Amino acid sequence: MIKSKIISLVVSTLMTLYPVQSLASAYDGCMIYSASGSSGKDFKLIDFPGNENFSNHFSNMALDIHKILDLSRFDAPLVAIYDDSRSSNALAIGNAGIPAGDKVQFAMYEEDKQKIQNAILFGGQMLWDMAKNGDNFNDLNTLDIYVVLSHEYGHILQFLLIQHPRNEKMKVLAKKLLDAPTNKKELQADAIAGWIYGVNRSRVDDELEGDNFQQVMRRVFKLEDYEFNNPHHHGTPEQRIDAFAFGYILARIEKIRDKNRVFALTFDRYIK
């Protein structure tokens, strides 16, 4: 009964979404990767644009995803807020070369001068626009922010494969990932995000979660004002919801909790 309800809400959400407008883009999707170790140098980090409670909640969301992915201190990305006043977005950056410091929102580091290899930068403008984008203006839509953060963490897993292939087979997979079209990489990140969200929401009553799932999907994947939803890079809304739903079902119905298995399943579906 529970499985059928979850599948029904996924299908009904797919059927009620509509395409977003085309947008010009300054980035190749929402991921930037460079072998130079300085790909994050052009982004201005800013203080968290909200009160202490909101700031702590944002950090706790990053920590929750970090725990779900079971990342080591060395694999965990730096998470910070950046000035996105020119183009609202959230980004995952490989080999960012950003030093840990006061403006970092979340990072697993031990030394102030340590440079974190990868980073997630969430635009301050996008953060507030998403937080207020809902039926009740007085309630912050932090689930929407959690979905976007989860998507960016999906890119972090991709970066880690490229940076640290453990054997020859993994090197081949890393090469396939590097060569894959941008929209395929983005759809894999959507699927991983769906799994992360599903693991998180498995703690919630199923009836309540049905309403949450549909509302979050309508808001996050129908937004027309963000590079995060550029259909030229990320795929159409229908493709993105399908990918997100695939990951969600892996968590809620298949009960998979191993990130490596999820990465392999989503890789086979979207990259190979």
Side-chain angles (χ1 to χ4, degrees):
M1 180 64 71
I2 292 176
K3 288 185 179 181
S4 64
K5 285 183 179 180
I6 294 173
I7 293 174
S8 294
L9 73 90
V10 169
V11 172
S12 65
T13 303
L14 278 165
M15 293 178 66
T16 55
L17 286 176
Y18 301 94
V20 299
Q21 297 174 354
S22 297
L23 300 169
S25 176
Y27 306 109
D28 193 17
C30 68
M31 60 185 295
I32 299 174
Y33 187 82
S34 170
S36 67
S38 60
S39 51
K41 66 181 181 179
D42 294 328
F43 297 91
K44 179 184 177 182
L45 302 190
I46 61 175
D47 293 324
F48 191 86
N51 63 28
E52 184 177 356
N53 286 339
F54 190 11
S55 176
N56 289 339
H57 187 60
F58 182 88
S59 296
N60 286 335
M61 286 192 286
L63 178 60
D64 183 70
I65 298 170
H66 171 88
K67 289 179 177 178
I68 288 173
L69 294 177
D70 191 26
L71 295 174
S72 71
R73 176 173 63 84
F74 301 102
D75 290 340
L78 170 153
V79 181
I81 307 298
Y82 83 102
D83 180 2
D84 65 337
S85 56
R86 292 187 176 182
S87 180
S88 296
N89 206 357
L91 301 161
I93 306 179
N95 293 324
I98 299 175
D102 293 339
K103 295 187 186 300
V104 170
Q105 193 66 25
F106 175 82
M108 304 291 288
Y109 59 87
E110 294 181 348
E111 299 178 8
D112 290 341
K113 294 183 180 180
Q114 177 182 339
K115 288 188 176 181
I116 311 298
Q117 187 169 26
N118 302 315
I120 293 172
L121 302 186
F122 208 115
Q125 179 173 307
M126 182 176 180
L127 180 79
W128 270 110
D129 287 347
M130 294 196 76
K132 295 177 180 178
N133 178 42
D135 299 327
N136 187 346
F137 184 81
N138 294 320
D139 292 334
L140 297 181
N141 295 305
T142 53
L143 275 182
D144 300 16
I145 296 168
Y146 187 93
V147 168
V148 174
L149 268 177
S150 298
H151 174 94
E152 303 309 333
Y153 267 93
H155 287 311
I156 296 300
L157 294 188
Q158 293 173 332
F159 294 157
L160 292 173
L161 169 62
I162 294 169
Q163 293 161 342
H164 309 295
R166 297 189 299 272
N167 50 48
E168 290 304 315
K169 180 180 179 180
M170 298 299 280
K171 289 180 180 179
V172 172
L173 295 180
K175 180 65 164 56
K176 286 185 177 181
L177 182 59
L178 274 172
D179 294 341
T182 298
N183 68 316
K184 298 295 185 182
K185 299 172 189 174
E186 297 294 346
L187 290 173
Q188 187 195 18
D190 281 333
I192 294 170
W195 174 74
I196 293 170
Y197 177 87
V199 173
N200 174 276
R201 304 310 291 173
S202 63
R203 312 159 190 164
V204 177
D205 178 82
D206 287 298
E207 294 294 334
L208 175 62
E209 173 52 17
D211 291 337
N212 282 333
F213 181 86
Q214 294 187 56
Q215 291 171 13
V216 169
M217 292 306 94
R218 289 190 182 100
R219 288 194 300 259
V220 173
F221 293 111
K222 278 185 63 180
L223 295 176
E224 298 179 351
D225 300 324
Y226 304 119
E227 292 300 329
F228 179 81
N229 273 331
N230 188 325
H232 296 298
H233 296 146
H234 289 78
T236 67
E238 290 81 5
Q239 289 173 324
R240 300 198 67 190
I241 281 289
D242 180 73
F244 191 90
F246 176 71
Y248 184 82
I249 288 171
L250 292 181
R252 296 300 305 276
I253 296 179
E254 301 299 331
K255 307 295 184 184
I256 298 174
R257 294 296 183 267
D258 180 0
K259 74 171 185 291
N260 293 322
R261 186 179 175 196
V262 170
F263 190 89
L265 289 170
T266 55
F267 189 97
D268 288 344
R269 188 177 178 93
Y270 296 105
I271 303 299
K272 279 190 176 179

